[in-house]
Amino acid sequence: MYFLGAQIKARTTMLSLLGCVVDTLKLFPKGMSVRVKLSHRGAVVRTLGKVLYSRSDLGMGLAFTIIEPEDKQILDWWVTEFVSIPLLKH
């Protein structure tokens, strides 16, 4: 992710077709537009996004604003892969 030339690496959680949550100590302000680069198993998705919330206890919530069809296809694959993982039963 980039902010005025700054780049951060962070863990992404709660990934969906509409956005994600970023677990990071470096928080960007709510409303900030960001360029997002997600990578998983050798595939990369690039999209533009907007910070929906930015809290030290929750991380940053991002909404994807512009995503190219080929990146959306990879994102679809990742989300499908995630939801097909069986839940652990205790």
Side-chain angles (χ1 to χ4, degrees):
M1 294 176 24
Y2 304 91
F3 171 68
L4 297 177
Q7 180 178 351
I8 64 169
K9 284 189 175 190
R11 185 174 63 111
T12 303
T13 61
M14 298 180 64
L15 180 67
S16 77
L17 300 176
L18 302 175
C20 63
V21 174
V22 179
D23 185 15
T24 181
L25 296 175
K26 173 69 175 167
L27 299 171
F28 298 158
K30 180 180 175 181
M32 178 65 58
S33 293
V34 293
R35 287 185 287 159
V36 180
K37 177 182 172 186
L38 303 169
S39 60
H40 174 65
R41 295 190 180 187
V44 175
V45 167
R46 288 178 176 83
T47 182
L48 296 179
K50 183 166 278 207
V51 178
L52 295 178
Y53 63 85
S54 184
R55 292 185 35 181
S56 60
D57 58 335
L58 297 175
M60 284 190 298
L62 302 179
F64 301 143
T65 56
I66 299 175
I67 187 165
E68 297 296 327
E70 55 273 4
D71 290 313
K72 184 180 181 310
Q73 185 177 15
I74 295 169
L75 189 59
D76 285 338
W77 174 67
W78 289 346
V79 171
T80 301
E81 177 186 35
F82 175 74
V83 298
S84 68
I85 299 171
L87 295 174
L88 294 176
K89 295 184 180 180
H90 297 277

